[in-house]
Amino acid sequence: EVVMTQSPATLSVSPGERAALSCRASQSIGSNLAWYQQKPGQAPRLLIYGASTRATGVPARFSGSGSGTEFTLTISSLQSEDFAVYYCQQYKNWSFGPGTKVDLK
Amino acid sequence: EVQLVESGGAVVQPGGSLRLSCAASGFTFDDYSMHWVRQAPGKGLEWVALVAWDGRSTYSADSVKGRFSISRDNSKNSLYLQMNTLTTEDTALYFCARDMWGPLDFWGQGTMVSVSS
């Protein structure tokens, strides 16, 4: 079973700042990783798949990198609508990480 | 427009059963595998189960194996989750989601299941 971990649990950022969220897999998953954004009361939204490919309609300020066991989601210049919880998911056997909450500093 | 609409959530007693449904529209349903994902109140996402496009292959999380069963009816563009022997740990918002050959690209808004005496 692949176990996903994310850090930090909470990231406090000011608008316009850069945010880097980390995701780690307990074993190599290649590039089989997705990132999702979830806002309160909403369903998750796919942001990144294949570790680095933006989903349709996702702004260019979101980027993903990494392979194997270490992955990063970077938001280059945080906008007010980006405050949310972000989950990584590996799709070898579909487990999610515990999430990183990005909130206002 | 892709739409996924879950239904069937309810309050049920421990040990009880429930069947969730997900009605799909706006895409060719039998081209895609489908998932159930759940989220306990105030908690993170937990993958529950997957059914292949033709319904012949299914996979489920260890936490629900032997109690939950995922299925689909392609003639009705519908996905199902039969949940038996429910416990308080199963209390959650249950989402259905479309599998884009790996990542989950469209999600419904969820249906709430509360297990309580």
Side-chain angles (χ1 to χ4, degrees), chain A residues 1 34 36 38 41-46 48-50 87 89 91 93-98, chain B residues 35 37 39 43-47 50 59 62 95 99-105 107-109:
Chain A
E1 179 192 352
Y36 302 86
Q38 188 180 33
Q42 296 185 16
R45 171 197 179 196
L46 177 66
I48 300 284
Y49 62 94
Y87 296 95
Q89 182 204 25
Y91 40 90
N93 56 19
W94 309 287
S95 58
F96 289 89
Chain B
H35 297 253
V37 176
Q39 186 168 37
K43 303 297 184 182
L45 301 172
E46 181 187 13
W47 176 77
L50 158 71
Y59 305 87
D62 288 345
F95 297 99
D99 184 311
M100 191 183 75
W101 301 284
L104 307 185
D105 65 342
W107 298 60
Q109 288 303 306

Side-chain angles (χ1 to χ4, degrees), chain B residues 13-18 66-68 82-88 90 115:
Chain B
Q13 291 189 334
S17 297
L18 205 57
R67 300 188 301 122
F68 289 14
Q82 177 66 43
M83 304 186 296
N84 299 328
T85 320
L86 285 160
T87 75
T88 56
D90 298 316
V115 184

Side-chain angles (χ1 to χ4, degrees), chain A residues 20-74:
Chain A
L21 289 64
S22 177
C23 174
R24 179 174 293 178
S26 62
Q27 60 186 264
S28 179
I29 58 170
S31 296
N32 294 310
L33 185 100
W35 289 94
Y36 302 86
Q37 176 193 66
Q38 188 180 33
K39 297 179 181 179
Q42 296 185 16
R45 171 197 179 196
L46 177 66
L47 294 177
I48 300 284
Y49 62 94
S52 61
T53 302
R54 276 189 303 276
T56 302
V58 175
R61 63 181 181 271
F62 291 92
S63 63
S65 62
S67 66
T69 61
E70 302 278 345
F71 302 88
T72 302
L73 174 70
T74 302

